[in-house]
Amino acid sequence: MRHKTFLWFFLPTGLAMLLFIAMPIVSIVTQSIFAPHPAVLLEVESCTPLIGCTTETTIDQEATAALREAQPLGRFVGLGIYFDRGHLAIQEISQMWASNETWDGFFSELGNLPFYRAMAFTLTFTFIVTPLTILLGLVIALAVNSLHRHLKGLMIFFSLLPMIVTPLIGSLILFWMIDSRGVIGNALVYMAGDPNFSLKASTGLMWVALMVYGVWSSAPFAFVVFYAGLQTLPQDQIEAAQIDGATRWQQVKFVVVPHLMPLVTFVALIQLMDNFKVLEPIIGFSAGAHAQSLSTFILNDMSGETRQLSSAAATSVMTIIGVAILLSPVLVRTWRDFKGAR
Amino acid sequence: MASRAQRMPKSLRIASSLFVLLWFFLAAFPFFWTVWGSFKVELDFFSIADWTNALTGARTEAVYGSPFTTTGYEGAWIQEEFWRNVLNTGIVCFFVVTISLTIGTLGGYALSRSTYNYTFWLLITALIFRAMPPIALVSGYLLPFFEWNIWGILPTTIIVLVAINQPFTLWMLHSFFKNIPSELDESAKVDGCNQFQAFRRVIIPVMWPGVITTGLFSFLLAYNDFAVGAMLLSESNRTMVPAIAAFLGTTQTEGNVMFAVAAVVSATVPLFILVMFFQRQIVGGLTAGAVKG
């Protein structure tokens, strides 16, 4: 295909991605290094006879507007927003470092900084949910694969539901069930033997609940991919392994899992990317008090009365850097394959 | 088909069946439970006294004389005007699917037929774009959209969702078009067609299975979106999912959780039907990406 023809075919989609994915990235980088102008204040001394003089501070609307007109981006603050208390908190960290003798003390104080708390939850969520999803998906795939033909279709249908359903809706459905008045919550109260037991009161349990939701909603994806992989399993290799006296467990370990390995990499990649973006379950579970992720951190900055766009932009940039770090092994591998292919 | 040696020992078969049953229960039960409960009053759905009330609907019967009531649905659809949000979602989904398939097929076709190196780089860029969290992009939109005065309206959201959807659509259609032999359009070009005519007369008639699968996923993305709709739509233009999120804030104080439950069930029904009719395409689409990777 000639360059020119290619250009015309690719132009609409390329333009859409350029304008609404590439440009916003530029936009958040600029927003994150500029802070909005503070209002220009004017001190007016007004004297009235008998009462005396008072100084009033008023906003000089004209000067403020003029300043905003002159520099519409705001004032340049460099990396200031990244290092402030709401984000990386460099100053606070160095103070904590100096004042704490032990690692424990340092980490417990670090937990008070909102950005690090969000970071901790996001990373914990990503690196616990992803392996569990893969494991559960694999076990379901093996179990369903041994079912009777007619049952398989039915199982796939119901297995797809947790994945297909809107994340916010899925998390709400689970949340209502684990509510202390809901059916699972009731059962937990009964098992704990404490009538005041509630998942919502404990940070640790809330984290567990969020992760259970994460595994529940993405295991079907892993299951479907692995199940498809099992259909192309070479039977002769299984038979050869049996002749060599491999037990069932050894067959799975040495034949099935290596056969599925490329798919495991694929699922792991997709899941790492998606889990890092975790947003809806925290909102659905109303878990904001116990767990914040990088995404909810951005959302909170943007909504609310005062839209702190610069702060949201700085977090966004750091989230994107996080995604880039997660993706880098894949990109390096693809690059090597590409070089090798030429 | 299974030889005798491959047949499972009884204990393993029982364990495996039990596990499947457990997973079936985990996957399906929450949905049935919520659908059943959506026809009850709040004191039954959330029952402190006796959890079996949620099944029998004792309190519902005491209030309405029947164990089922549709007050939750009436409250959500009529009182809270949920139908507006449903309509908005319908509009958004329709245009997102149509536009992203139109420009996605052109782009995906071009990527599959060009032999130059830049196609590789474009696909890698698309992969990176696919990984961008939508909420991070949204924080980049707000300021310019306020400036240009296009915040809050449906067309803006549609265009944004189309763009966010493109990387995935391109990857999927690219791998699909790769499987259509290029001899087909080559021979059309030999017969005197230009590239676009070859695309229109030869490729379009055979591309529908791939386009339908990709369209399903575009639909799901638009339907399930929360971040974009919640931040870029004004209150009167909200789609379903942000509206449900907003419900939670307002209804819980008024004691109308059942409105939210009814809305949630209403929003799940189309997805249920979708899976029922397009199960094979969805499974095919999920695995198509995997086979490539």
Side-chain angles (χ1 to χ4, degrees):
Chain A
M1 194 185 269
R2 283 179 307 151
H3 295 308
K4 206 178 149 196
T5 331
F6 179 84
L7 182 71
W8 281 115
F9 269 96
F10 196 74
L11 191 66
T13 172
L15 210 59
M17 288 197 290
L18 186 73
L19 283 178
F20 292 100
I21 303 181
M23 290 304 283
I25 296 175
V26 178
S27 159
I28 51 174
V29 173
T30 41
Q31 278 184 51
S32 69
I33 53 175
F34 287 97
H37 290 291
V40 180
L41 299 177
L42 209 59
E43 288 202 349
V44 187
E45 201 181 38
S46 56
C47 293
T48 23
L50 298 176
I51 300 170
C53 289
T54 49
T55 19
E56 266 180 52
T57 315
T58 54
I59 294 173
D60 188 344
Q61 300 288 1
E62 265 179 42
T64 311
L67 188 61
R68 287 197 179 143
E69 188 71 32
Q71 293 170 300
L73 282 174
R75 68 201 154 86
F76 180 75
V77 288
L79 295 177
I81 299 171
Y82 291 92
F83 294 148
D84 70 5
R85 198 192 179 280
H87 298 92
L88 290 176
I90 297 294
Q91 265 191 334
E92 283 79 1
I93 292 223
S94 54
Q95 276 171 11
M96 279 176 212
W97 187 251
S99 65
N100 276 296
E101 293 292 307
T102 57
W103 282 100
D104 274 1
F106 177 69
F107 276 117
S108 73
E109 274 193 47
L110 195 66
N112 293 332
L113 294 170
F115 182 79
Y116 287 96
R117 232 179 13 224
M119 193 75 170
F121 176 75
T122 311
L123 289 177
T124 318
F125 186 85
T126 308
F127 287 103
I128 289 184
V129 169
T130 308
L132 286 181
T133 301
I134 292 174
L135 198 68
L136 182 63
L138 186 65
V139 178
I140 300 172
L142 285 172
V144 169
N145 198 35
S146 65
L147 282 179
H148 188 264
R149 199 159 44 89
H150 293 299
L151 281 174
K152 282 178 183 173
L154 191 74
M155 273 311 295
I156 294 174
F157 172 75
F158 281 105
S159 300
L160 281 175
L161 287 178
M163 177 192 70
I164 286 294
V165 83
T166 315
L168 184 79
I169 290 179
S171 50
L172 277 174
I173 288 178
L174 283 203
F175 178 66
W176 286 326
M177 291 174 78
I178 62 165
D179 188 287
S180 59
R181 299 163 299 162
V183 62
I184 298 178
N186 244 326
L188 288 176
V189 168
Y190 179 75
M191 280 192 279
D194 171 11
N196 294 318
F197 177 84
S198 169
L199 273 179
K200 286 188 242 173
S202 144
T203 300
L205 288 175
M206 210 65 208
W207 281 37
V208 172
L210 286 166
M211 286 176 204
V212 167
Y213 168 78
V215 175
W216 179 73
S217 65
S218 42
F221 170 66
F223 153 63
V224 167
V225 172
F226 294 149
Y227 179 76
L230 285 178
Q231 307 311 307
T232 60
L233 193 69
Q235 282 304 316
D236 45 348
Q237 283 185 23
I238 291 278
E239 275 165 28
Q242 277 169 353
I243 292 167
D244 290 348
T247 62
R248 195 162 286 277
W249 165 244
Q250 284 169 330
Q251 289 169 31
V252 169
K253 191 175 164 196
F254 295 112
V255 182
V256 176
V257 170
H259 175 74
L260 294 179
M261 217 48 210
L263 299 180
V264 172
T265 327
F266 167 76
V267 173
L269 169 72
I270 300 280
Q271 285 304 313
L272 282 177
M273 290 196 303
D274 286 352
N275 288 333
F276 197 72
K277 303 179 199 172
V278 55
L279 166 71
E280 283 98 339
I282 297 180
I283 296 176
F285 278 44
S286 318
H290 298 296
Q292 289 283 346
S293 73
L294 290 176
S295 291
T296 55
F297 202 77
I298 302 173
L299 189 76
N300 289 343
D301 270 347
M302 281 195 293
S303 42
E305 287 301 302
T306 52
R307 292 178 188 267
Q308 293 167 311
L309 292 183
S310 296
S311 167
T315 317
S316 301
V317 171
M318 287 191 275
T319 311
I320 289 178
I321 292 172
V323 170
I325 293 171
L326 279 183
L327 264 181
S328 54
V330 186
L331 292 181
V332 169
R333 208 192 69 178
T334 322
W335 166 244
R336 283 213 195 106
D337 289 355
F338 177 65
K339 290 268 275 198
R342 272 199 303 179
Chain B
M1 130 215 142
S3 70
R4 198 154 160 203
Q6 274 169 308
R7 204 171 295 156
M8 285 186 174
K10 202 164 194 179
S11 58
L12 186 63
R13 191 159 1 153
I14 291 173
S16 148
S17 308
L18 279 179
F19 180 78
V20 169
L21 208 66
L22 177 74
W23 167 246
F24 172 79
F25 187 73
L26 284 177
F29 173 68
F31 295 100
F32 289 123
W33 179 262
T34 311
V35 171
W36 183 263
S38 69
F39 292 100
K40 305 273 181 279
V41 293
E42 192 182 333
L43 281 175
D44 278 337
F45 187 67
F46 291 122
S47 87
I48 314 168
D50 183 4
W51 68 273
T52 51
N53 277 357
L55 288 177
T56 56
R59 302 290 186 96
T60 315
E61 195 152 16
V63 180
Y64 294 102
S66 138
F68 297 100
T69 170
T70 52
T71 40
Y73 289 89
E74 277 162 27
W77 282 77
I78 299 166
Q79 191 181 323
E80 299 282 331
E81 302 202 316
F82 190 62
W83 58 271
R84 282 182 198 278
N85 310 115
V86 175
L87 198 66
N88 286 334
T89 298
I91 296 170
V92 168
C93 287
F94 175 77
F95 283 105
V96 168
V97 171
T98 334
I99 300 174
S100 67
L101 283 183
T102 312
I103 66 177
T105 27
L106 290 174
Y109 173 69
L111 285 175
S112 71
R113 289 299 184 262
S114 177
T115 45
Y116 294 103
N117 272 342
Y118 52 72
T119 54
F120 169 80
W121 291 111
L122 287 172
L123 281 169
I124 287 296
T125 317
L127 180 71
I128 297 172
F129 283 170
R130 155 77 173 75
M132 292 292 137
I135 193 79
L137 297 177
V138 167
S139 73
Y141 299 138
L142 281 181
L143 209 57
F145 285 3
F146 283 139
E147 202 101 305
W148 303 332
N149 217 4
I150 51 170
W151 181 87
I153 52 173
L154 289 178
T156 318
T157 305
I158 290 171
I159 296 291
V160 165
L161 283 176
V162 166
I164 290 182
N165 207 357
Q166 277 310 297
F168 177 76
T169 312
L170 278 182
W171 265 94
M172 206 140 162
L173 286 170
H174 162 79
S175 60
F176 177 73
F177 280 127
K178 273 270 180 215
N179 289 336
I180 299 181
S182 62
E183 283 79 20
L184 270 182
D185 31 331
E186 292 299 326
S187 63
K189 284 206 295 198
V190 170
D191 290 347
C193 287
N194 63 27
Q195 189 82 47
F196 186 76
Q197 283 169 329
F199 173 71
R200 194 165 62 98
R201 289 173 195 277
V202 181
I203 299 298
I204 286 186
V206 296
M207 71 176 186
W208 294 110
V211 169
I212 287 172
T213 308
T214 317
L216 277 173
F217 283 91
S218 302
F219 173 82
L220 284 176
L221 178 125
Y223 193 89
N224 289 346
D225 155 72
F226 168 71
V228 176
M231 294 312 301
L232 291 187
L233 284 173
S234 61
E235 204 178 325
S236 55
N237 283 333
R238 268 192 196 129
T239 48
M240 273 197 280
V241 181
I244 290 173
F247 258 18
L248 292 176
T250 54
T251 52
Q252 259 164 0
T253 48
E254 294 163 19
N256 281 331
V257 184
M258 293 322 288
F259 291 5
V261 177
V264 157
V265 173
S266 314
T268 319
V269 169
L271 295 173
F272 207 85
I273 296 171
L274 196 79
V275 181
M276 215 152 20
F277 283 100
F278 294 103
Q279 181 180 337
R280 198 188 313 158
Q281 279 85 350
I282 294 172
V283 172
L286 286 176
T287 47
V291 175
K292 285 278 307 166

